[in-house]
Amino acid sequence: PPPQQLPPPPFGGASQAAGGGGLPPAGLGLVLPAWEYYLYCFCLWPLSELGGRSLEDHKPPSSVAAAASTAISALASGAQPGAATDKRPLYLQLLDSYLHLFAPPDGQPLSREGERVVEAFSQFWLCQNAPRAAPAPACVITSAASLQCLSHLVHRLNLHEAAFVAAGHGRGMAADGSAHAQLARPLLDFYQTQLKHLPDISARVVSLIQLLIRFLQPW
């Protein structure tokens, strides 16, 4: 068959055709820069069986792991060495450090790079349940691990939103540069879909409601 043009990859990468000169080997339809490939793997980790289990079964770190956690926490928060050990899973510490870098609570609109990072988290952790053409797919019930990650994401974006509003940039869905507004529609769609499929009473429903309440706090 003749070569077919594939859709453009995320984040403005170079698109590739399915055949022809100077193209990637057969079966390789998308080439990502190193950072975007790492972000792809990072977003997938809590959705994987191993990643989800490591977050849900996390225990306080050993003394060696605690030292590494303290160093990462210092990078994420700007704290001085010798600060209290962060006992959260290493993945959540890294997530906080990336959000602190790409969506800092500095009162400025979200940068283009920050928009891409927030969009990536949204696509992996929220939009996996987005409506598709018929027949409708089965809902993917969210895990406790992904809810942990979403809680951290919302907390960091709330800090950005509070500083953003205080700096006089506006509030709500129409505000340009608001990371909070960027997450609103996919989060509300996710919330509605999950409530339709989760049991009426469960720890996961409670976590889902707490997540939405936290998200609505700045508004």
Side-chain angles (χ1 to χ4, degrees):
Q4 297 180 355
Q5 189 70 24
L6 297 174
F11 309 144
S15 61
Q16 302 287 350
L23 298 173
L28 183 60
L30 179 65
V31 177
L32 295 176
W35 159 244
E36 292 172 8
Y37 179 71
Y38 171 77
L39 183 60
Y40 173 87
C41 296
F42 187 82
C43 292
L44 275 180
W45 176 249
L47 302 179
S48 68
E49 181 179 356
L50 179 60
R53 192 165 62 246
S54 70
L55 288 172
E56 294 175 18
D57 299 340
H58 174 72
K59 294 180 176 58
S62 65
S63 58
V64 175
S69 295
T70 301
I72 292 174
S73 298
L75 290 174
S77 62
Q80 296 298 320
T85 299
D86 191 334
K87 296 183 179 181
R88 297 173 301 163
L90 181 59
Y91 183 89
L92 296 181
Q93 296 178 48
L94 285 170
L95 174 61
D96 270 357
S97 71
Y98 296 146
L99 292 171
H100 181 77
L101 174 64
F102 289 106
D106 57 3
Q108 297 302 310
L110 197 65
S111 67
R112 182 169 176 80
E113 291 75 15
E115 290 178 352
R116 291 172 174 175
V117 170
V118 172
E119 180 185 5
F121 291 141
S122 173
Q123 288 293 325
F124 277 86
W125 299 343
L126 296 174
C127 295
Q128 59 179 352
N129 295 320
R132 295 186 180 90
C139 173
V140 179
I141 299 300
T142 189
S143 65
S146 60
L147 283 174
Q148 283 188 65
C149 296
L150 285 168
S151 180
H152 278 72
L153 175 62
V154 168
H155 171 67
R156 280 292 180 177
L157 297 191
N158 280 359
L159 295 178
H160 179 274
E161 184 74 7
F164 181 77
V165 172
H169 293 291
R171 180 196 301 267
M173 296 293 291
D176 291 334
S178 167
H180 204 264
Q182 183 177 342
L183 197 69
R185 180 57 184 269
L187 180 61
L188 293 176
D189 287 345
F190 171 82
Y191 179 79
Q192 182 182 31
T193 304
Q194 290 294 323
L195 280 186
K196 287 180 178 178
H197 295 85
L198 286 169
D200 291 338
I201 300 176
S202 70
R204 213 157 292 179
V205 169
V206 172
S207 297
L208 197 62
I209 293 173
Q210 290 173 338
L211 177 68
L212 184 64
I213 292 173
R214 169 173 281 186
F215 177 75
L216 294 175
Q217 283 175 349
W219 293 6

